[in-house]
């Protein structure tokens, strides 16, 4: 036992050498319950409170926002749980397992989309951590200007990049610490600001239309599970093959959902109690939450805010590096994470120092990339459902193997679902996305200013088209693949 412990400790102190390669049986460890820690740590961020204001911003009542949030969070993370099963069955990163549907090189398209999404998320989280730190320092009278933001950005960026470069074992240890610290301090925060809740004001918020409810539901899906679904198998691939699939699904969904659900409820109560706070969240989602705190808790708040955001950013930078490799870049995983870290810091500089409308750009980013990711999710889920055997790991890396080089049907389905989806969403707050929504008028949905303009149906349509289209058109392809004898060749070096 002592030798095993020492081996584990030494591995945790080293840079992970695994990239896209398959995790060998000797290195598989843990149980499905260990998935709780990375997923909870990545989603316990104080940012979850701000989603209460985001949801009410759609013009709906507390109860409508609560239902939209519960359905959107749990359903979207359930998708992550299903895809996490593929990691246990295939021992490889999510965007490598996706090659079974798209072909080895055909999968580069969804890999690029996945990479952009994860780099975007890590950038947003890093920028928010920087702005939150500056706000806290400003309230304490310790500065809060450009110098503070620069130092905060360097520290947050460095912590995120180090976690992503070091890899799986350090991330698992870091997420356990983040879970405990942020969990405790978040409870203290809730206790301190509970007297700012006024139920009479919250309950008086008028109800919105069905279209506004759907818009909030889709936003919750894209802001939570659909932002993680393309990385869902990156951690379950380290579990033993004998692990329970139900356990993988359950612990992934539970670990990822429990904190956002609790934070959403309290965030709705706070935002519904104060229109001033509700509006302030749109400009500075984390910093606005400090305005109702006693001064003595500002430093602990900064700790919980930064750690929670870093917890999500670390998982994103790890998975974005894997997605970049899957897209065809042939460098070591740790260098890919470093490249993404540079892009993350550059994007954070823009958000922190130059952007003047965070919420509008954020919603535009989520919805726009949420459409192709939803299409990919539908295809991946249906492909996984059709399979009766585990993946042939070697053929995931061979263009001449059973999964082929380029599979045209999934690619065309992704492009078609994305084109239709973008035609059914609008993002007026982000001027660079004004071209979207081009199908709302032809389909009789009132155009870009009608009642369906902000329902963002395109995300749901893309998910459904990807799933149903693959069930209808992909069955024969999967049966042909599984009819072949297991590959006897070794997994190619990557």
């Amino acid at each position: 036992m002592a030798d095993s412990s020492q081996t584990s400790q030494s591995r945790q102190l080293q840079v992970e050498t695994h990239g896209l390669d398959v995790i060998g049986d000797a290195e598989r460890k843990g149980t499905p319950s260990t998935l709780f820690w990375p997923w909870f740590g990545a989603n316990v961020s104080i940012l979850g409170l701000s989603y209460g204001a985001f949801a009410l911003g759609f013009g709906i009542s507390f109860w409508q926002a609560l239902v939209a949030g519960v359905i959107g969070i749990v359903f979207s993370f359930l998708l992550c749980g299903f895809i996490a099963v593929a990691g246990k069955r295939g021992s490889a990163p999510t965007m490598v397992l996706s090659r079974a549907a798209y072909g080895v090189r055909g999968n580069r398209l969804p890999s690029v989309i996945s990479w952009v999404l994860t780099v975007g998320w890590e950038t947003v989280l890093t920028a928010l951590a920087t702005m939150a730190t500056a706000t806290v320092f400003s309230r304490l009278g310790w500065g809060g200007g450009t110098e503070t933001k620069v130092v905060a950005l360097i520290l947050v960026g460095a912590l995120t990049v180090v976690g992503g470069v070091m890899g799986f074992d350090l991330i698992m240890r870091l997420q356990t610490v983040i879970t405990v610290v942020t969990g405790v301090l978040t409870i203290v925060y809730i206790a301190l600001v509970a007297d700012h809740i006024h139920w009479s004001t919250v309950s008086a918020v008028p109800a919105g239309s069905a279209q506004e409810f759907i818009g909030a539901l889709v936003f919750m899906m894209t802001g939570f599970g659909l932002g993680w679904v393309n990385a869902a198998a990156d951690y379950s691939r380290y579990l033993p093959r004998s692990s329970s699939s139900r356990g993988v699904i359950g612990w992934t969904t539970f670990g990822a959902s429990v904190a956002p659900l609790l934070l959403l409820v309290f965030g709705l109560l706070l935002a519904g109690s104060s229109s001033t706070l509700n509006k302030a969240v749109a400009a500075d989602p984390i910093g606005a939450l400090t305005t109702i705190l006693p001064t003595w808790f500002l430093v602990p708040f900064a700790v919980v805010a930064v750690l929670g955001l870093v917890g999500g950013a670390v998982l994103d930078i790890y998975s974005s590096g894997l997605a970049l490799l899957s897209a065809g870049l042939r460098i070591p995983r740790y260098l890919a994470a470093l490249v993404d870290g540079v892009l993350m810091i550059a994007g954070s500089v823009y958000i922190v120092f130059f952007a003047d409308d965070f919420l509008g750009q954020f919603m535009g980013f989520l919805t726009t990339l949420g459409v192709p990711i939803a299409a990919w999710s539908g295809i991946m889920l249906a492909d996984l459902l059709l399979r009766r055997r585990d993946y042939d790991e070697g053929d995931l890396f061979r263009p001449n193997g059973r999964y082929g080089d380029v599979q045209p049907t999934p690619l065309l389905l992704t492009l078609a679902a994305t084109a239709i989806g973008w035609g059914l969403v609008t993002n007026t707050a982000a001027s660079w996305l004004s071209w979207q929504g081009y199908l709302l008028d032809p389909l009789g949905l009132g155009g870009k200013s009608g009642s369906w303009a902000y329902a963002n149906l395109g995300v749901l349509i893309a998910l459904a088209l990807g799933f149903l289209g693959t069930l209808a058109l992909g069955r024969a392809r999967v049966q042909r693949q599984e009819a072949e004898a297991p590959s006897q060749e070794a997994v190619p070096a990557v």
Side-chain angles (χ1 to χ4, degrees):
M1 292 296 292
D3 291 341
S4 174
S5 174
Q6 290 171 359
T7 300
S8 175
Q9 290 284 7
S10 65
R11 184 165 58 231
Q12 290 175 352
L13 298 177
Q14 296 174 354
V15 174
E16 181 189 359
T17 57
H18 288 300
L20 300 185
D21 51 315
V22 171
I23 304 301
D25 290 339
E27 296 184 77
R28 287 167 166 264
K29 54 188 181 292
T31 63
S33 62
T34 60
L35 294 173
F36 173 85
W37 300 107
W39 287 110
F40 185 91
N43 290 283
V44 71
S45 167
I46 287 289
L47 179 61
L49 291 171
S50 300
Y51 274 85
F54 297 160
L56 292 177
F58 281 85
I60 56 179
S61 68
F62 168 83
W63 292 110
Q64 287 178 310
L66 180 61
V67 173
V70 170
I71 295 174
I73 291 170
V74 175
F75 176 70
S76 62
F77 279 126
L78 186 61
L79 301 182
C80 291
F82 286 131
I83 290 181
V85 173
K88 184 203 72 162
R89 293 176 60 180
S91 319
T94 314
M95 297 314 298
V96 170
L97 299 170
S98 178
R99 292 173 175 178
Y102 287 86
V104 174
R105 288 196 297 177
N107 190 62
R108 290 180 179 179
L109 173 63
S111 292
V112 169
I113 297 170
S114 174
W115 175 70
V116 174
L117 178 64
T118 46
V119 170
W121 261 113
E122 68 203 43
T123 300
V124 166
L125 296 175
T126 300
L128 287 175
T130 301
M131 292 190 293
T133 303
T135 302
V136 168
F137 273 56
S138 178
R139 278 206 60 196
L140 289 170
W142 297 349
T146 301
E147 295 83 359
T148 302
K149 292 177 181 178
V150 169
V151 173
L153 179 57
I154 291 173
L155 293 176
V156 172
L159 185 57
T160 302
V161 171
V162 168
V165 168
M166 290 298 291
F168 178 81
D169 284 317
L170 179 60
I171 287 173
M172 294 297 281
R173 174 185 282 187
L174 181 64
Q175 295 298 73
T176 302
V177 173
I178 289 175
T179 294
V180 175
V181 174
T182 54
V184 171
L185 291 179
T186 299
I187 292 173
V188 175
Y189 174 88
I190 290 174
L192 288 174
V193 301
D195 60 344
H196 288 270
I197 294 174
H198 307 289
W199 176 246
S200 59
T201 305
V202 176
S203 60
V205 175
S209 65
Q211 294 92 330
E212 290 166 333
F213 171 82
I214 294 172
L217 170 64
V218 172
F219 180 74
M220 289 295 172
M221 289 176 58
T222 55
F224 288 100
L226 283 182
W228 288 110
V229 71
N230 54 312
D234 292 353
Y235 305 95
S236 55
R237 66 184 173 131
Y238 280 89
L239 291 176
R241 298 177 192 275
S242 58
S243 300
S244 164
S245 295
R246 289 185 179 182
V248 171
I249 296 169
W251 282 107
T252 298
T253 307
F254 175 67
S257 298
V258 61
L261 287 173
L262 295 174
L263 291 169
L264 173 68
V265 172
F266 199 75
L268 286 170
L269 292 171
L270 283 176
S273 300
S274 170
S275 59
T276 301
L277 178 64
N278 199 347
K279 293 177 182 177
V281 166
D284 186 359
I286 305 295
L289 299 173
T290 68
T291 59
I292 55 177
L293 276 175
T295 303
W296 67 267
F297 192 70
L298 287 175
V299 172
F301 175 84
V303 172
V304 68
V306 170
L307 282 180
L309 294 166
V310 166
V314 166
L315 260 66
D316 274 318
I317 196 171
Y318 179 76
S319 293
S320 69
L322 294 174
L324 186 58
L325 298 180
S326 183
L329 187 64
R330 302 183 70 84
I331 59 175
R333 181 206 60 81
Y334 61 87
L335 286 182
L338 191 60
V339 169
D340 291 348
V342 172
L343 294 174
M344 172 193 77
I345 293 174
S348 299
V349 168
Y350 170 76
I351 294 175
V352 172
F353 297 102
F354 300 103
D356 56 1
D357 176 20
F358 171 82
L359 183 57
Q361 308 299 324
F362 179 54
M363 292 179 69
F365 162 74
L366 287 182
T367 305
T368 300
L369 289 184
V371 170
I373 284 295
W376 172 87
S377 301
I379 291 170
M380 185 70 176
L381 288 165
D383 184 82
L384 185 62
L385 181 64
L386 291 171
R387 295 188 182 278
R388 299 293 178 263
R389 295 166 54 182
D390 287 348
Y391 297 96
D392 187 296
E393 295 164 353
D395 280 352
L396 288 170
F397 299 90
R398 282 188 283 268
N400 60 347
R402 75 188 63 219
Y403 303 120
D405 189 12
V406 176
Q407 295 289 348
T409 301
L411 282 170
L412 291 174
L413 189 56
T414 301
L415 294 173
T418 299
I420 294 172
W422 280 340
L424 295 172
V425 299
T426 57
N427 289 288
T428 54
S431 59
W432 52 285
L433 297 173
S434 59
W435 53 271
Q436 295 175 348
Y438 44 80
L439 292 179
L440 290 169
D441 190 44
L443 294 179
L445 298 175
K448 297 183 181 181
S449 59
S451 58
W452 286 99
Y454 303 103
N456 289 326
L457 287 175
V459 175
L460 298 177
I461 296 297
L463 178 65
L465 286 175
F467 184 77
L468 297 176
T470 302
L471 286 183
L473 303 173
R475 190 178 303 274
R477 170 180 53 82
V478 172
Q479 288 176 345
R480 286 195 304 271
Q481 292 172 353
E482 298 197 328
E484 295 187 24
S487 173
Q488 300 300 317
E489 299 179 55
V491 176
V494 291

